[in-house]
Every structure is written in C-alpha cells, then in structure tokens.
Amino acid sequence: MNFKRQFVVSAFWSSVGNGASSLISFIVFALVVHLVEADAVGVVAFAMAFIVFGRVFVEAGTSELILRRKDFDERYASVAFWLSLANSAIVVLLFALVLAPLIDRVFAPGSGIVLAVLSLSFLVDGSRFVHEAKFRRDFRYRALAVRYMVGTLVSGVVGVWAAYAGYGVWALVAQRLVASVVTTVVTWLSSNWRPSLVWSREYASEQIVHGVGLLGASTLKIIIQRVPELALGIAQGPLSVAIYGVGIRTYEALYQLTAFPLLSAAMSSFARLPDRESLAKAYISTTGFFSTFSFPLFFGTAVVAEQLVPLFFGQKWQTSGLVLIALAVSAPPSILGILLHPLLNALGRTSLIFKLNLGSAIIMVAACAIFAPYGPVVISIVLAVRIYLGLAGILYVLKREVGIDPRAILLANAPPFISSLVMLAAAIAIRHVLPDDLPAILALAAPVLTGALTYTATMILAFPRHSAQVVQEASEMFPGLKRFAGPLLRTN
C-alpha cells in the first residue's frame, strides 16, 4: 500500500472511530445538559480541564516514543507499560489528595469529589497506551476504531440511563469511567501483545529523558487548549465555564471528526517517510485533501450555530452559540497547523516543538488573564484572532524546517477556503429571507442545504482540477467512486 492510500485509509478509520465516539458522547452530553443546572455543568467542565492535563502526565509521550522506534521492541514496550502504570498511580494520588481538596475550596463546593472520581480513569487508560501505540505502528486504525466505538456505545448507554434516572452530572462522570474500562478491556482482549515482568534501567532512563521533552511540549499544548476554562472559572465562576464548555464541546465534536484523525494518522505515517522532500509533498497533499471536507464543515457550523446550540441543548444555552461561531471560523488555520508537530517530530525537532508551544502558551495565558473577566464570548473571539495571526508563524517554520514554500500551501488550500466563503455568504443570505415563524428544524435545514449545494457547485465549476484530485485520492480508498466520478476525474 503506498503512502497516500495508507495515510488516507488510516485517517478514514480514525475518523470513523472518533466520529462515532464523539457523536455518542455529544448526545449524552446534550441529554445531561438538558437535565441539570448550568452551574453543575460548569463544575464538570472545570474538572475535565484538569483531567486532560493529568492524562498528559500519565502518558508522558509513551505513544510517540514507541512510534518513533524503527522496530517494535518487546522489552522496550514492557518497560514503557510499567512506567505508564507508575505515572498513573502517582497522578491519581496527587489529584485525589492535593488537587481535589484545593479546587473544592477555591472554585465550587462539590467539584473536588468530581475530580477525584474522574482521576481513577488514569489507572485504566494508562494500562492500554502501549497496546494502542502498537496498533498505530501496524496501521490497524480500523481495529482501533471498532474498539473506541464499542467503548463509547456501552458508556453512552450507561450515561443516558444515568441522566434519565436523575443522577445529573454524575451521568457524565459514569460515562467517562465506563468508556475507559470498556475500551481498555476490549483493547487487551483483541491484542496479542502482553507486557512482560522485565525491567531495563537503560530503557527506562531513555524513556524518561525523551518523555520529559515530549511531556513539556504536550503540557504546553494542553495549556493552550484548556486555560480558557480555568481562567473563566477563576474570574467568573461555574456559569461562564458552562457557557464556554457547551460551545467548545460542540466544536470538539467536529474537531474529533475531522482534525484529530488527520493528526493521529500523521503521527504514524510521517515517521516512516525518508526525507524532507517526502515530508513536504505529504504535508501539501494531505492538507489540500482534508481541507476540502473540513473547511466547509466548520464554516457551515458557524452559520447555523445560533440555531444548532439551542436545538441540542435548550434555549438557556443561546450564548454558547456565539462561542461556537468564533471557534468554528478559526478552524482553517488550525487545520493547517495541526500537522506541524508530527512533521517536526518526524525530523527529531522536539526542542523546537517545545519552544513553539511555550510561545503559544505564554500568549494564551496572557490573553486569558486579560480578557477572561469579559466573559466566554470575548475569550472565544480573542482566541480566533490569535489563531489567524499565528498562521504566519506556522508558514515560516514550515519554510525554514521543511523547505515548503508558503505559496504552495496557500494555493493547495485556497480552493476549499474560497468555496467555503462563497458558501458562507449564500447560507447567510438564505437565513435573512426565511420567515421568523419557520419551525426550528427547517430554519436549520435551509441554510445547511443551500450551503452544501453552493460549496459543491463552486468547487466543481471554479476549481475543477482540485476537485478531480480530491476525488482521485478518495477513489484510492473507495474504488467504487471511479464509476460515479468519471467525468470529474478526466478533468485532472
């Protein structure tokens, strides 16, 4: 299987797994939000921000270290497994004994016990990181997708039952813990690898040293992602965290469906490419392909966000729609930047990754410290502006480190971006002519249908070569497409 097809197939199955998982999680979240107070949702969102931080320390770069090795070493993997479990136990104790009592005092009563219970997932997740890394090394993304879907489906059923039974925020806690347990059990049962009772001081030292470097970069990355919730929680309390949380949760569901599979497949695929020239070609072709589907999805979400959020979560979350708009329109530069770290990691430039994340984290912390008192909507707008301004830095690093001409990147992604802007204008126009008393579902469907037709027509008529190339690449994954897209393929 050539690189392009291997990458696309891997990303497809990663997308299927993450898409299904995100959809179920999103449905559970929407049901719970309808049934509990806004402040309670804010408590869980605040606790989950710390859980994301903790997961970084538990994993400590385990997957990246195993993926970077030329061959899968059984002894090396076993040492990584025991280190991961040790990290998990330490983090659980720190969360339960130190962090939980602290946030219970400074944030909101009851938030500490939520955090302590959620931290138990570290022990479960830590026991499968090596297994998942081996699946990724072998490009078994289909198998990973099935396991995630099983875990999320079972946990989703538990979460929905708990929500309707009146357990409120604990439905979200139960859903998270059950997902960890089921996914881990299924992963172990389906994997032929088992850790051995071995130890190597040399391997352990190597993993700790390299893991600390990756850990620093990963921690900074999580700060960039989660500091808005922490800043809002400190500045304004649970309600602002809840408003931002509903918006970001909707955005993350879309992100998991589109951008995360791209990152997950890139981590495995880029490490196998032999030189900078191959990496440059892979970056340009990959972003051009995925932007074709992701740009219109996020821009379209921005158009209908004010109708979408109340439809799923209820009218009391209307403000969260404004948060979603700001986050959704910032997606294009995020998509272009998401492959930067796998690219630099493949080149062994982990120190540069750390420096880039450190700069972004400093800017993010400063921005949140200044603007958090103004509320979640202002924070979201500031974040969107920061992402667009950061695109210049991404292009500069790609030029310096990989030799990619910024014009080549912009030209490869210009067709879907321009077509998405045309789609955006058409969808907004149709919204303004719709009657005010139109049922909510029709008010949502009209701009969506208009946007989809406008985007497709613009891509085919204005950018036939790009469209043909995308169909050609998709046909490598789905050979049956060639029978339906013959005329379009012949324009390439």
Side-chain angles (χ1 to χ4, degrees), residues 23-36 152-176 178:
L23 178 61
I24 296 171
S25 298
F26 183 77
I27 292 172
V28 172
F29 182 69
L31 288 171
V32 173
V33 164
H34 273 287
L35 299 171
V36 300
T152 310
L153 181 61
V154 174
S155 64
V157 171
V158 172
V160 170
W161 170 81
Y164 276 106
Y167 289 98
V169 295
W170 291 104
L172 284 172
V173 175
Q175 190 263 343
R176 174 69 179 88
V178 172

PDB file of all heavy atoms in Angstrom, residues 23-36 152-176 178:
ATOM      1  N   LEU A  23     -19.924  11.478  18.496  1.00  0.00           N
ATOM      2  CA  LEU A  23     -21.370  11.613  18.340  1.00  0.00           C
ATOM      3  C   LEU A  23     -22.110  11.096  19.572  1.00  0.00           C
ATOM      4  O   LEU A  23     -23.010  11.763  20.098  1.00  0.00           O
ATOM      5  CB  LEU A  23     -21.835  10.861  17.097  1.00  0.00           C
ATOM      6  CG  LEU A  23     -23.347  10.869  16.815  1.00  0.00           C
ATOM      7  CD1 LEU A  23     -23.833  12.295  16.610  1.00  0.00           C
ATOM      8  CD2 LEU A  23     -23.677  10.001  15.610  1.00  0.00           C
ATOM      9  N   ILE A  24     -21.711   9.915  20.036  1.00  0.00           N
ATOM     10  CA  ILE A  24     -22.366   9.348  21.216  1.00  0.00           C
ATOM     11  C   ILE A  24     -22.114  10.213  22.444  1.00  0.00           C
ATOM     12  O   ILE A  24     -23.032  10.505  23.227  1.00  0.00           O
ATOM     13  CB  ILE A  24     -21.884   7.906  21.455  1.00  0.00           C
ATOM     14  CG1 ILE A  24     -22.306   7.006  20.286  1.00  0.00           C
ATOM     15  CG2 ILE A  24     -22.450   7.356  22.760  1.00  0.00           C
ATOM     16  CD1 ILE A  24     -21.688   5.623  20.321  1.00  0.00           C
ATOM     17  N   SER A  25     -20.851  10.639  22.605  1.00  0.00           N
ATOM     18  CA  SER A  25     -20.519  11.498  23.748  1.00  0.00           C
ATOM     19  C   SER A  25     -21.291  12.816  23.694  1.00  0.00           C
ATOM     20  O   SER A  25     -21.753  13.321  24.717  1.00  0.00           O
ATOM     21  CB  SER A  25     -19.013  11.779  23.770  1.00  0.00           C
ATOM     22  OG  SER A  25     -18.287  10.601  23.938  1.00  0.00           O
ATOM     23  N   PHE A  26     -21.428  13.338  22.476  1.00  0.00           N
ATOM     24  CA  PHE A  26     -22.140  14.599  22.301  1.00  0.00           C
ATOM     25  C   PHE A  26     -23.625  14.441  22.657  1.00  0.00           C
ATOM     26  O   PHE A  26     -24.216  15.306  23.309  1.00  0.00           O
ATOM     27  CB  PHE A  26     -21.992  15.063  20.852  1.00  0.00           C
ATOM     28  CG  PHE A  26     -22.624  16.391  20.567  1.00  0.00           C
ATOM     29  CD1 PHE A  26     -22.010  17.573  20.969  1.00  0.00           C
ATOM     30  CD2 PHE A  26     -23.834  16.474  19.893  1.00  0.00           C
ATOM     31  CE1 PHE A  26     -22.593  18.801  20.707  1.00  0.00           C
ATOM     32  CE2 PHE A  26     -24.429  17.692  19.629  1.00  0.00           C
ATOM     33  CZ  PHE A  26     -23.800  18.865  20.039  1.00  0.00           C
ATOM     34  N   ILE A  27     -24.217  13.331  22.242  1.00  0.00           N
ATOM     35  CA  ILE A  27     -25.635  13.076  22.555  1.00  0.00           C
ATOM     36  C   ILE A  27     -25.827  12.952  24.065  1.00  0.00           C
ATOM     37  O   ILE A  27     -26.766  13.520  24.643  1.00  0.00           O
ATOM     38  CB  ILE A  27     -26.125  11.802  21.831  1.00  0.00           C
ATOM     39  CG1 ILE A  27     -26.175  12.041  20.318  1.00  0.00           C
ATOM     40  CG2 ILE A  27     -27.505  11.387  22.347  1.00  0.00           C
ATOM     41  CD1 ILE A  27     -26.469  10.797  19.509  1.00  0.00           C
ATOM     42  N   VAL A  28     -24.937  12.204  24.708  1.00  0.00           N
ATOM     43  CA  VAL A  28     -25.019  12.047  26.160  1.00  0.00           C
ATOM     44  C   VAL A  28     -24.885  13.402  26.855  1.00  0.00           C
ATOM     45  O   VAL A  28     -25.647  13.738  27.764  1.00  0.00           O
ATOM     46  CB  VAL A  28     -23.934  11.073  26.655  1.00  0.00           C
ATOM     47  CG1 VAL A  28     -23.891  11.048  28.182  1.00  0.00           C
ATOM     48  CG2 VAL A  28     -24.178   9.679  26.110  1.00  0.00           C
ATOM     49  N   PHE A  29     -23.902  14.177  26.404  1.00  0.00           N
ATOM     50  CA  PHE A  29     -23.680  15.499  26.982  1.00  0.00           C
ATOM     51  C   PHE A  29     -24.915  16.386  26.815  1.00  0.00           C
ATOM     52  O   PHE A  29     -25.331  17.077  27.750  1.00  0.00           O
ATOM     53  CB  PHE A  29     -22.465  16.142  26.316  1.00  0.00           C
ATOM     54  CG  PHE A  29     -22.100  17.489  26.866  1.00  0.00           C
ATOM     55  CD1 PHE A  29     -21.588  17.622  28.140  1.00  0.00           C
ATOM     56  CD2 PHE A  29     -22.275  18.637  26.110  1.00  0.00           C
ATOM     57  CE1 PHE A  29     -21.239  18.864  28.647  1.00  0.00           C
ATOM     58  CE2 PHE A  29     -21.929  19.882  26.603  1.00  0.00           C
ATOM     59  CZ  PHE A  29     -21.417  19.996  27.875  1.00  0.00           C
ATOM     60  N   ALA A  30     -25.519  16.360  25.612  1.00  0.00           N
ATOM     61  CA  ALA A  30     -26.705  17.178  25.357  1.00  0.00           C
ATOM     62  C   ALA A  30     -27.866  16.768  26.258  1.00  0.00           C
ATOM     63  O   ALA A  30     -28.586  17.625  26.792  1.00  0.00           O
ATOM     64  CB  ALA A  30     -27.109  17.058  23.892  1.00  0.00           C
ATOM     65  N   LEU A  31     -28.043  15.469  26.449  1.00  0.00           N
ATOM     66  CA  LEU A  31     -29.127  14.994  27.311  1.00  0.00           C
ATOM     67  C   LEU A  31     -28.916  15.443  28.753  1.00  0.00           C
ATOM     68  O   LEU A  31     -29.841  15.895  29.422  1.00  0.00           O
ATOM     69  CB  LEU A  31     -29.216  13.469  27.239  1.00  0.00           C
ATOM     70  CG  LEU A  31     -29.761  12.886  25.931  1.00  0.00           C
ATOM     71  CD1 LEU A  31     -29.584  11.375  25.915  1.00  0.00           C
ATOM     72  CD2 LEU A  31     -31.234  13.248  25.753  1.00  0.00           C
ATOM     73  N   VAL A  32     -27.683  15.322  29.232  1.00  0.00           N
ATOM     74  CA  VAL A  32     -27.392  15.698  30.614  1.00  0.00           C
ATOM     75  C   VAL A  32     -27.566  17.197  30.822  1.00  0.00           C
ATOM     76  O   VAL A  32     -28.117  17.641  31.833  1.00  0.00           O
ATOM     77  CB  VAL A  32     -25.963  15.256  30.993  1.00  0.00           C
ATOM     78  CG1 VAL A  32     -25.588  15.799  32.364  1.00  0.00           C
ATOM     79  CG2 VAL A  32     -25.867  13.740  30.994  1.00  0.00           C
ATOM     80  N   VAL A  33     -27.107  17.978  29.848  1.00  0.00           N
ATOM     81  CA  VAL A  33     -27.211  19.435  29.959  1.00  0.00           C
ATOM     82  C   VAL A  33     -28.669  19.874  30.060  1.00  0.00           C
ATOM     83  O   VAL A  33     -28.996  20.854  30.735  1.00  0.00           O
ATOM     84  CB  VAL A  33     -26.503  20.106  28.750  1.00  0.00           C
ATOM     85  CG1 VAL A  33     -26.918  21.555  28.603  1.00  0.00           C
ATOM     86  CG2 VAL A  33     -24.998  20.007  28.921  1.00  0.00           C
ATOM     87  N   HIS A  34     -29.569  19.150  29.394  1.00  0.00           N
ATOM     88  CA  HIS A  34     -30.999  19.462  29.491  1.00  0.00           C
ATOM     89  C   HIS A  34     -31.539  19.200  30.900  1.00  0.00           C
ATOM     90  O   HIS A  34     -32.543  19.791  31.297  1.00  0.00           O
ATOM     91  CB  HIS A  34     -31.795  18.610  28.499  1.00  0.00           C
ATOM     92  CG  HIS A  34     -31.888  19.214  27.133  1.00  0.00           C
ATOM     93  ND1 HIS A  34     -32.676  20.302  26.846  1.00  0.00           N
ATOM     94  CD2 HIS A  34     -31.276  18.888  25.972  1.00  0.00           C
ATOM     95  CE1 HIS A  34     -32.570  20.615  25.568  1.00  0.00           C
ATOM     96  NE2 HIS A  34     -31.716  19.770  25.010  1.00  0.00           N
ATOM     97  N   LEU A  35     -30.882  18.305  31.641  1.00  0.00           N
ATOM     98  CA  LEU A  35     -31.454  17.814  32.889  1.00  0.00           C
ATOM     99  C   LEU A  35     -30.813  18.372  34.147  1.00  0.00           C
ATOM    100  O   LEU A  35     -31.303  18.125  35.252  1.00  0.00           O
ATOM    101  CB  LEU A  35     -31.362  16.273  32.927  1.00  0.00           C
ATOM    102  CG  LEU A  35     -32.125  15.539  31.810  1.00  0.00           C
ATOM    103  CD1 LEU A  35     -31.768  14.063  31.823  1.00  0.00           C
ATOM    104  CD2 LEU A  35     -33.630  15.722  31.985  1.00  0.00           C
ATOM    105  N   VAL A  36     -29.703  19.102  34.021  1.00  0.00           N
ATOM    106  CA  VAL A  36     -29.017  19.595  35.213  1.00  0.00           C
ATOM    107  C   VAL A  36     -28.872  21.110  35.154  1.00  0.00           C
ATOM    108  O   VAL A  36     -29.046  21.726  34.105  1.00  0.00           O
ATOM    109  CB  VAL A  36     -27.621  18.940  35.364  1.00  0.00           C
ATOM    110  CG1 VAL A  36     -27.747  17.440  35.475  1.00  0.00           C
ATOM    111  CG2 VAL A  36     -26.714  19.315  34.188  1.00  0.00           C
ATOM    112  N   THR A 152     -17.420   3.508  23.560  1.00  0.00           N
ATOM    113  CA  THR A 152     -18.263   4.696  23.635  1.00  0.00           C
ATOM    114  C   THR A 152     -19.747   4.337  23.613  1.00  0.00           C
ATOM    115  O   THR A 152     -20.556   4.995  24.275  1.00  0.00           O
ATOM    116  CB  THR A 152     -17.938   5.649  22.466  1.00  0.00           C
ATOM    117  OG1 THR A 152     -16.538   5.855  22.415  1.00  0.00           O
ATOM    118  CG2 THR A 152     -18.643   6.980  22.649  1.00  0.00           C
ATOM    119  N   LEU A 153     -20.100   3.314  22.851  1.00  0.00           N
ATOM    120  CA  LEU A 153     -21.508   2.910  22.791  1.00  0.00           C
ATOM    121  C   LEU A 153     -21.988   2.411  24.145  1.00  0.00           C
ATOM    122  O   LEU A 153     -23.044   2.812  24.640  1.00  0.00           O
ATOM    123  CB  LEU A 153     -21.685   1.828  21.725  1.00  0.00           C
ATOM    124  CG  LEU A 153     -23.116   1.311  21.528  1.00  0.00           C
ATOM    125  CD1 LEU A 153     -24.034   2.449  21.101  1.00  0.00           C
ATOM    126  CD2 LEU A 153     -23.131   0.180  20.507  1.00  0.00           C
ATOM    127  N   VAL A 154     -21.201   1.527  24.754  1.00  0.00           N
ATOM    128  CA  VAL A 154     -21.589   0.991  26.070  1.00  0.00           C
ATOM    129  C   VAL A 154     -21.655   2.111  27.103  1.00  0.00           C
ATOM    130  O   VAL A 154     -22.619   2.222  27.878  1.00  0.00           O
ATOM    131  CB  VAL A 154     -20.591  -0.098  26.519  1.00  0.00           C
ATOM    132  CG1 VAL A 154     -20.906  -0.547  27.950  1.00  0.00           C
ATOM    133  CG2 VAL A 154     -20.643  -1.294  25.576  1.00  0.00           C
ATOM    134  N   SER A 155     -20.633   2.962  27.123  1.00  0.00           N
ATOM    135  CA  SER A 155     -20.631   4.057  28.088  1.00  0.00           C
ATOM    136  C   SER A 155     -21.739   5.059  27.809  1.00  0.00           C
ATOM    137  O   SER A 155     -22.292   5.665  28.735  1.00  0.00           O
ATOM    138  CB  SER A 155     -19.281   4.770  28.070  1.00  0.00           C
ATOM    139  OG  SER A 155     -19.037   5.380  26.817  1.00  0.00           O
ATOM    140  N   GLY A 156     -22.083   5.231  26.528  1.00  0.00           N
ATOM    141  CA  GLY A 156     -23.180   6.124  26.177  1.00  0.00           C
ATOM    142  C   GLY A 156     -24.510   5.637  26.718  1.00  0.00           C
ATOM    143  O   GLY A 156     -25.319   6.425  27.220  1.00  0.00           O
ATOM    144  N   VAL A 157     -24.732   4.329  26.623  1.00  0.00           N
ATOM    145  CA  VAL A 157     -25.965   3.746  27.171  1.00  0.00           C
ATOM    146  C   VAL A 157     -26.027   3.974  28.679  1.00  0.00           C
ATOM    147  O   VAL A 157     -27.069   4.363  29.229  1.00  0.00           O
ATOM    148  CB  VAL A 157     -26.033   2.238  26.856  1.00  0.00           C
ATOM    149  CG1 VAL A 157     -27.198   1.579  27.603  1.00  0.00           C
ATOM    150  CG2 VAL A 157     -26.188   2.022  25.354  1.00  0.00           C
ATOM    151  N   VAL A 158     -24.899   3.762  29.348  1.00  0.00           N
ATOM    152  CA  VAL A 158     -24.845   3.983  30.799  1.00  0.00           C
ATOM    153  C   VAL A 158     -25.089   5.453  31.121  1.00  0.00           C
ATOM    154  O   VAL A 158     -25.841   5.791  32.052  1.00  0.00           O
ATOM    155  CB  VAL A 158     -23.477   3.530  31.356  1.00  0.00           C
ATOM    156  CG1 VAL A 158     -23.345   3.929  32.828  1.00  0.00           C
ATOM    157  CG2 VAL A 158     -23.312   2.036  31.208  1.00  0.00           C
ATOM    158  N   GLY A 159     -24.465   6.336  30.346  1.00  0.00           N
ATOM    159  CA  GLY A 159     -24.628   7.763  30.595  1.00  0.00           C
ATOM    160  C   GLY A 159     -26.055   8.237  30.400  1.00  0.00           C
ATOM    161  O   GLY A 159     -26.577   9.021  31.208  1.00  0.00           O
ATOM    162  N   VAL A 160     -26.701   7.778  29.334  1.00  0.00           N
ATOM    163  CA  VAL A 160     -28.094   8.170  29.068  1.00  0.00           C
ATOM    164  C   VAL A 160     -29.011   7.650  30.174  1.00  0.00           C
ATOM    165  O   VAL A 160     -29.891   8.363  30.670  1.00  0.00           O
ATOM    166  CB  VAL A 160     -28.543   7.642  27.694  1.00  0.00           C
ATOM    167  CG1 VAL A 160     -30.053   7.832  27.510  1.00  0.00           C
ATOM    168  CG2 VAL A 160     -27.774   8.354  26.578  1.00  0.00           C
ATOM    169  N   TRP A 161     -28.796   6.387  30.555  1.00  0.00           N
ATOM    170  CA  TRP A 161     -29.618   5.825  31.644  1.00  0.00           C
ATOM    171  C   TRP A 161     -29.443   6.645  32.925  1.00  0.00           C
ATOM    172  O   TRP A 161     -30.423   6.973  33.607  1.00  0.00           O
ATOM    173  CB  TRP A 161     -29.217   4.375  31.893  1.00  0.00           C
ATOM    174  CG  TRP A 161     -29.847   3.829  33.148  1.00  0.00           C
ATOM    175  CD1 TRP A 161     -31.108   3.333  33.316  1.00  0.00           C
ATOM    176  CD2 TRP A 161     -29.218   3.769  34.440  1.00  0.00           C
ATOM    177  NE1 TRP A 161     -31.314   2.973  34.619  1.00  0.00           N
ATOM    178  CE2 TRP A 161     -30.181   3.226  35.339  1.00  0.00           C
ATOM    179  CE3 TRP A 161     -27.958   4.128  34.927  1.00  0.00           C
ATOM    180  CZ2 TRP A 161     -29.896   3.021  36.686  1.00  0.00           C
ATOM    181  CZ3 TRP A 161     -27.678   3.928  36.278  1.00  0.00           C
ATOM    182  CH2 TRP A 161     -28.640   3.380  37.134  1.00  0.00           C
ATOM    183  N   ALA A 162     -28.201   6.952  33.261  1.00  0.00           N
ATOM    184  CA  ALA A 162     -27.939   7.705  34.489  1.00  0.00           C
ATOM    185  C   ALA A 162     -28.555   9.092  34.434  1.00  0.00           C
ATOM    186  O   ALA A 162     -29.060   9.603  35.444  1.00  0.00           O
ATOM    187  CB  ALA A 162     -26.426   7.803  34.721  1.00  0.00           C
ATOM    188  N   ALA A 163     -28.536   9.721  33.244  1.00  0.00           N
ATOM    189  CA  ALA A 163     -29.120  11.058  33.103  1.00  0.00           C
ATOM    190  C   ALA A 163     -30.623  11.018  33.339  1.00  0.00           C
ATOM    191  O   ALA A 163     -31.173  11.846  34.067  1.00  0.00           O
ATOM    192  CB  ALA A 163     -28.811  11.618  31.717  1.00  0.00           C
ATOM    193  N   TYR A 164     -31.292  10.061  32.715  1.00  0.00           N
ATOM    194  CA  TYR A 164     -32.743   9.969  32.877  1.00  0.00           C
ATOM    195  C   TYR A 164     -33.139   9.470  34.266  1.00  0.00           C
ATOM    196  O   TYR A 164     -34.262   9.712  34.722  1.00  0.00           O
ATOM    197  CB  TYR A 164     -33.338   9.055  31.812  1.00  0.00           C
ATOM    198  CG  TYR A 164     -33.594   9.773  30.513  1.00  0.00           C
ATOM    199  CD1 TYR A 164     -32.783   9.561  29.406  1.00  0.00           C
ATOM    200  CD2 TYR A 164     -34.634  10.685  30.399  1.00  0.00           C
ATOM    201  CE1 TYR A 164     -33.002  10.232  28.218  1.00  0.00           C
ATOM    202  CE2 TYR A 164     -34.872  11.357  29.214  1.00  0.00           C
ATOM    203  CZ  TYR A 164     -34.058  11.131  28.128  1.00  0.00           C
ATOM    204  OH  TYR A 164     -34.266  11.807  26.956  1.00  0.00           O
ATOM    205  N   ALA A 165     -32.227   8.780  34.942  1.00  0.00           N
ATOM    206  CA  ALA A 165     -32.509   8.307  36.301  1.00  0.00           C
ATOM    207  C   ALA A 165     -32.322   9.409  37.334  1.00  0.00           C
ATOM    208  O   ALA A 165     -32.574   9.203  38.520  1.00  0.00           O
ATOM    209  CB  ALA A 165     -31.617   7.114  36.636  1.00  0.00           C
ATOM    210  N   GLY A 166     -31.851  10.566  36.877  1.00  0.00           N
ATOM    211  CA  GLY A 166     -31.739  11.706  37.773  1.00  0.00           C
ATOM    212  C   GLY A 166     -30.390  11.877  38.450  1.00  0.00           C
ATOM    213  O   GLY A 166     -30.280  12.597  39.440  1.00  0.00           O
ATOM    214  N   TYR A 167     -29.356  11.235  37.905  1.00  0.00           N
ATOM    215  CA  TYR A 167     -28.033  11.342  38.522  1.00  0.00           C
ATOM    216  C   TYR A 167     -27.274  12.603  38.112  1.00  0.00           C
ATOM    217  O   TYR A 167     -26.177  12.858  38.591  1.00  0.00           O
ATOM    218  CB  TYR A 167     -27.194  10.102  38.192  1.00  0.00           C
ATOM    219  CG  TYR A 167     -27.676   8.868  38.915  1.00  0.00           C
ATOM    220  CD1 TYR A 167     -28.501   7.943  38.282  1.00  0.00           C
ATOM    221  CD2 TYR A 167     -27.308   8.638  40.231  1.00  0.00           C
ATOM    222  CE1 TYR A 167     -28.944   6.812  38.942  1.00  0.00           C
ATOM    223  CE2 TYR A 167     -27.755   7.505  40.907  1.00  0.00           C
ATOM    224  CZ  TYR A 167     -28.570   6.597  40.252  1.00  0.00           C
ATOM    225  OH  TYR A 167     -29.011   5.480  40.923  1.00  0.00           O
ATOM    226  N   GLY A 168     -27.836  13.389  37.195  1.00  0.00           N
ATOM    227  CA  GLY A 168     -27.263  14.686  36.843  1.00  0.00           C
ATOM    228  C   GLY A 168     -25.832  14.613  36.345  1.00  0.00           C
ATOM    229  O   GLY A 168     -25.507  13.834  35.450  1.00  0.00           O
ATOM    230  N   VAL A 169     -24.968  15.415  36.947  1.00  0.00           N
ATOM    231  CA  VAL A 169     -23.579  15.486  36.478  1.00  0.00           C
ATOM    232  C   VAL A 169     -22.857  14.152  36.614  1.00  0.00           C
ATOM    233  O   VAL A 169     -21.897  13.876  35.894  1.00  0.00           O
ATOM    234  CB  VAL A 169     -22.802  16.565  37.244  1.00  0.00           C
ATOM    235  CG1 VAL A 169     -23.369  17.937  36.952  1.00  0.00           C
ATOM    236  CG2 VAL A 169     -22.802  16.286  38.738  1.00  0.00           C
ATOM    237  N   TRP A 170     -23.316  13.292  37.531  1.00  0.00           N
ATOM    238  CA  TRP A 170     -22.664  12.003  37.696  1.00  0.00           C
ATOM    239  C   TRP A 170     -22.895  11.102  36.489  1.00  0.00           C
ATOM    240  O   TRP A 170     -22.187  10.100  36.321  1.00  0.00           O
ATOM    241  CB  TRP A 170     -23.132  11.337  38.980  1.00  0.00           C
ATOM    242  CG  TRP A 170     -22.621  12.072  40.180  1.00  0.00           C
ATOM    243  CD1 TRP A 170     -23.323  12.901  41.003  1.00  0.00           C
ATOM    244  CD2 TRP A 170     -21.272  12.084  40.657  1.00  0.00           C
ATOM    245  NE1 TRP A 170     -22.508  13.431  41.965  1.00  0.00           N
ATOM    246  CE2 TRP A 170     -21.236  12.948  41.784  1.00  0.00           C
ATOM    247  CE3 TRP A 170     -20.094  11.466  40.242  1.00  0.00           C
ATOM    248  CZ2 TRP A 170     -20.066  13.180  42.495  1.00  0.00           C
ATOM    249  CZ3 TRP A 170     -18.927  11.701  40.951  1.00  0.00           C
ATOM    250  CH2 TRP A 170     -18.924  12.551  42.059  1.00  0.00           C
ATOM    251  N   ALA A 171     -23.881  11.447  35.665  1.00  0.00           N
ATOM    252  CA  ALA A 171     -24.044  10.703  34.414  1.00  0.00           C
ATOM    253  C   ALA A 171     -22.831  10.906  33.518  1.00  0.00           C
ATOM    254  O   ALA A 171     -22.352   9.973  32.862  1.00  0.00           O
ATOM    255  CB  ALA A 171     -25.318  11.159  33.696  1.00  0.00           C
ATOM    256  N   LEU A 172     -22.318  12.136  33.486  1.00  0.00           N
ATOM    257  CA  LEU A 172     -21.110  12.411  32.701  1.00  0.00           C
ATOM    258  C   LEU A 172     -19.890  11.709  33.300  1.00  0.00           C
ATOM    259  O   LEU A 172     -19.042  11.193  32.564  1.00  0.00           O
ATOM    260  CB  LEU A 172     -20.859  13.922  32.643  1.00  0.00           C
ATOM    261  CG  LEU A 172     -21.752  14.724  31.699  1.00  0.00           C
ATOM    262  CD1 LEU A 172     -21.508  16.215  31.897  1.00  0.00           C
ATOM    263  CD2 LEU A 172     -21.476  14.333  30.258  1.00  0.00           C
ATOM    264  N   VAL A 173     -19.816  11.694  34.612  1.00  0.00           N
ATOM    265  CA  VAL A 173     -18.697  11.014  35.266  1.00  0.00           C
ATOM    266  C   VAL A 173     -18.743   9.514  34.978  1.00  0.00           C
ATOM    267  O   VAL A 173     -17.728   8.898  34.628  1.00  0.00           O
ATOM    268  CB  VAL A 173     -18.731  11.269  36.791  1.00  0.00           C
ATOM    269  CG1 VAL A 173     -17.638  10.472  37.494  1.00  0.00           C
ATOM    270  CG2 VAL A 173     -18.582  12.758  37.085  1.00  0.00           C
ATOM    271  N   ALA A 174     -19.931   8.927  35.109  1.00  0.00           N
ATOM    272  CA  ALA A 174     -20.082   7.494  34.845  1.00  0.00           C
ATOM    273  C   ALA A 174     -19.747   7.170  33.396  1.00  0.00           C
ATOM    274  O   ALA A 174     -19.080   6.166  33.103  1.00  0.00           O
ATOM    275  CB  ALA A 174     -21.511   7.055  35.172  1.00  0.00           C
ATOM    276  N   GLN A 175     -20.194   8.022  32.481  1.00  0.00           N
ATOM    277  CA  GLN A 175     -19.923   7.786  31.062  1.00  0.00           C
ATOM    278  C   GLN A 175     -18.419   7.775  30.782  1.00  0.00           C
ATOM    279  O   GLN A 175     -17.913   6.932  30.049  1.00  0.00           O
ATOM    280  CB  GLN A 175     -20.620   8.863  30.229  1.00  0.00           C
ATOM    281  CG  GLN A 175     -20.621   8.602  28.732  1.00  0.00           C
ATOM    282  CD  GLN A 175     -19.500   9.328  28.017  1.00  0.00           C
ATOM    283  OE1 GLN A 175     -18.922  10.264  28.566  1.00  0.00           O
ATOM    284  NE2 GLN A 175     -19.217   8.907  26.805  1.00  0.00           N
ATOM    285  N   ARG A 176     -17.694   8.681  31.399  1.00  0.00           N
ATOM    286  CA  ARG A 176     -16.242   8.755  31.190  1.00  0.00           C
ATOM    287  C   ARG A 176     -15.534   7.531  31.755  1.00  0.00           C
ATOM    288  O   ARG A 176     -14.656   6.943  31.100  1.00  0.00           O
ATOM    289  CB  ARG A 176     -15.701  10.029  31.859  1.00  0.00           C
ATOM    290  CG  ARG A 176     -14.199  10.173  31.842  1.00  0.00           C
ATOM    291  CD  ARG A 176     -13.689  10.425  30.447  1.00  0.00           C
ATOM    292  NE  ARG A 176     -12.238  10.593  30.434  1.00  0.00           N
ATOM    293  CZ  ARG A 176     -11.356   9.603  30.318  1.00  0.00           C
ATOM    294  NH1 ARG A 176     -11.781   8.356  30.221  1.00  0.00           N
ATOM    295  NH2 ARG A 176     -10.064   9.844  30.294  1.00  0.00           N
ATOM    296  N   VAL A 178     -16.810   4.465  32.492  1.00  0.00           N
ATOM    297  CA  VAL A 178     -17.195   3.239  31.787  1.00  0.00           C
ATOM    298  C   VAL A 178     -16.515   3.172  30.425  1.00  0.00           C
ATOM    299  O   VAL A 178     -16.076   2.102  29.982  1.00  0.00           O
ATOM    300  CB  VAL A 178     -18.729   3.160  31.644  1.00  0.00           C
ATOM    301  CG1 VAL A 178     -19.130   1.996  30.738  1.00  0.00           C
ATOM    302  CG2 VAL A 178     -19.374   2.994  33.002  1.00  0.00           C
TER     303      VAL A 178
END
